[in-house]
Amino acid sequence: MNTKKQKKKLSLTVMILTALFLGILSGLLLQSHPKIAENYIQPFGTIFLNLIKMIVVPVVLFSIIQGVVSLQDIKKVGSIGGKTICFYIVTTAFAVTFGLLFANVLNVGGGYVMNSSSLEAYEGATKAPSLIETLVNIFPSNAVEPLVSATMLQVIVIALFFGFGIIIAGDKGKPAAYLVESLSEVCINIMGLIINLSPIGVFALITPVVATNGPSVLLPLLKLIGVAYLASIVHMVVVYSSAVKGFSGISPLRFFKEQSPAMLFAFSSASSVGTLPFNYECTEKLGARKEIASFVLPLGATINMDGTAIYQGVSAIFIAQIFGVHLTLTQQLMVILTTTLASIGTAGVPGSGVIMLAMVLQSVGLPLEGIALVAGVDRILDMARTTVNITGDAACTICVDAMEKRKEARRKVDISNNL
């Protein structure tokens, strides 16, 4: 029974990979007719993403409530939350450092010829909410609107309070706990049905991207894309592998092998929240407990921005070099600090990647018009950003779970010694 299930999952992974390659090939063939891909193929990808988005909020809501209830201790929830946020802040600092390092060493903006006709003034948001505003905004004024608008930080807060309420209610809260457990199982099964459609979704999502952004658009910025992707790969291999190996003893090869379905889907869909169903399965196969994954993964999908941090570092150096500006070591340290802090301040804000980049450019005196230079390939860069982000979510889940297991083991030893 178990072997059959594993074969089914393996075949789904192969199907996703096949769909990805077929989508790229179809996109290349449709470069001269991108409207065909946009009008007749992309809608199926949109339908698939809509289905994913439809089930994500119920899955996050009920799985976090169930995770909190299963922990049976409000202090333990605080402990896990603290470890999770610290992990994300540290890895974000590493990520932007890698981005800056590779951009400098590989001279990412070297040889780029400025085309002033393609440079438009950036008119988007340049200011993120302050940390206090962000803190206030995560607490909803009603329990329904965040579920409708899929405001994930507020959904997480609602889930936490309902979970706390069930724990505090004791025996009277047990019927609610059983109902939440049942609804969580139903949502997971619906999620499974939707996941089976993922090869179709991946094909329909990647084809129009390739058809619209063919080599003629990508070649001038190929170095930027290459450096960002290289920094992303190195960050995942070095930082995540080291963390997972150090905290849980899981080998890098096993980690990436088990994580590959989620990484493939994230790459093709560029949706961290949409990849949650895959990440749940991957982390459970790697040994993370359901109650930990149910708490850490949704939080990571909202606030973890390692991939975005790499993008900030590479883009800052790229824009500086093509404008002929030399960023000093102090200014680059400012980029690291600004990116790390901005990743907290912009959590859950739509278009947060662009807002963060605007903040970074302002912090070191670079022209905001430079954003227009990277905007054309943002979708290609977003695929790498999302892959890094969800891999970081999985690594954090495994590490936090391992830390909690060790903490519980020490507590048991202390109890037995005191008896």
Side-chain angles (χ1 to χ4, degrees):
M1 182 81 178
N2 229 2
T3 311
K4 286 181 182 177
K5 193 175 180 183
Q6 285 175 351
K7 282 182 180 176
K8 187 179 178 183
K9 286 183 180 177
L10 179 64
S11 65
L12 182 63
T13 305
V14 172
M15 285 168 67
I16 291 172
L17 191 57
T18 304
L20 184 62
F21 283 120
L22 288 175
I24 293 170
L25 181 62
S26 301
L28 291 171
L29 293 172
L30 290 170
Q31 277 180 74
S32 56
H33 304 285
K35 290 294 178 185
I36 294 175
E38 291 174 359
N39 296 336
Y40 300 104
I41 297 176
Q42 189 170 343
F44 291 98
T46 304
I47 290 169
F48 177 68
L49 277 184
N50 286 345
L51 289 172
I52 289 282
K53 290 173 183 176
M54 172 196 76
I55 199 60
V56 159
V57 170
V59 165
V60 170
L61 179 69
F62 294 123
S63 63
I64 288 184
I65 295 174
Q66 188 183 10
V68 170
V69 172
S70 63
L71 292 173
Q72 287 295 322
D73 186 353
I74 294 175
K75 287 182 181 177
K76 192 173 182 182
V77 175
S79 171
I80 294 169
K83 290 184 179 76
T84 301
I85 292 169
C86 286
F87 184 95
Y88 290 144
I89 290 173
V90 171
T91 56
T92 297
F94 271 109
V96 66
T97 303
F98 274 121
L100 290 169
L101 179 65
F102 278 91
N104 277 296
V105 171
L106 299 175
N107 193 24
V108 66
Y112 186 92
V113 180
M114 178 77 75
N115 182 359
S116 58
S117 63
S118 67
L119 189 62
E120 298 175 3
Y122 173 71
E123 297 177 353
T126 61
K127 188 179 179 183
S130 69
L131 193 55
I132 295 298
E133 286 175 319
T134 302
L135 187 63
V136 170
N137 290 338
I138 67 172
F139 292 95
S141 57
N142 68 71
V144 178
E145 196 277 330
L147 305 179
V148 175
S149 61
T151 309
M152 297 310 294
L153 276 177
Q154 293 187 352
V155 171
I156 290 169
V157 169
I158 291 169
L160 288 174
F161 274 97
F162 272 87
F164 295 156
I166 291 171
I167 291 173
I168 295 167
D171 289 340
K172 289 184 179 180
K174 284 183 178 178
Y178 295 141
L179 177 63
V180 166
E181 185 179 2
S182 175
L183 288 170
S184 178
E185 190 63 32
V186 169
C187 290
I188 287 168
N189 279 284
I190 294 171
M191 185 173 67
L193 293 173
I194 296 169
I195 284 175
N196 287 331
L197 301 172
S198 54
I200 298 170
V202 166
F203 175 83
L205 288 167
I206 200 71
T207 301
V209 172
V210 177
T212 306
N213 302 287
S216 60
V217 176
L218 298 181
L219 285 176
L221 297 171
L222 198 57
K223 198 171 184 181
L224 169 68
I225 296 167
V227 172
Y229 272 65
L230 180 61
S232 298
I233 292 167
V234 171
H235 178 72
M236 288 191 289
V237 171
V238 174
V239 176
Y240 298 152
S241 294
S242 301
V244 169
K245 180 69 176 175
F247 284 102
S248 68
I250 294 173
S251 71
L253 284 176
R254 186 189 165 207
F255 172 68
F256 286 112
K257 181 186 174 185
E258 299 292 359
Q259 189 61 21
S260 60
M263 293 172 73
L264 282 170
F265 182 79
F267 182 78
S268 54
S269 68
S271 172
S272 293
V273 175
T275 310
L276 270 174
F278 287 89
N279 239 358
Y280 279 124
E281 288 194 17
C282 293
T283 51
E284 284 183 26
K285 283 173 71 177
L286 285 163
R289 289 170 295 180
K290 188 177 178 182
E291 60 266 28
I292 302 291
S294 298
F295 181 79
V296 176
L297 288 178
L299 189 60
T302 307
I303 69 170
N304 180 29
M305 294 190 178
D306 286 7
T308 307
I310 291 171
Y311 161 76
Q312 310 298 319
V314 174
S315 296
I317 299 297
F318 175 75
I319 291 167
Q321 288 182 347
I322 62 174
F323 276 99
V325 178
H326 173 71
L327 292 182
T328 64
L329 180 61
T330 304
Q331 286 176 309
Q332 294 193 37
L333 289 172
M334 178 62 71
V335 170
I336 295 173
L337 181 63
T338 305
T339 302
T340 305
L341 295 176
S343 68
I344 304 167
T346 58
V349 177
S352 57
V354 175
I355 294 173
M356 283 175 67
L357 183 55
M359 292 171 66
V360 167
L361 296 181
Q362 280 187 321
S363 71
V364 290
L366 290 173
L368 295 179
E369 288 82 358
I371 294 175
L373 292 168
V374 298
V377 292
D378 187 68
R379 181 64 170 77
I380 307 296
L381 294 169
D382 197 17
M383 293 158 74
R385 293 199 297 260
T386 306
T387 305
V388 173
N389 289 343
I390 65 96
T391 307
D393 298 343
C396 181
T397 301
I398 293 161
C399 293
V400 170
D401 183 65
M403 284 187 276
E404 287 300 310
K405 283 174 181 173
R406 280 201 290 272
K407 185 178 175 182
E408 290 163 12
R410 285 196 302 269
R411 190 179 295 139
K412 284 179 182 177
V413 170
D414 291 339
I415 292 171
S416 61
N417 288 338
N418 291 331
L419 290 176

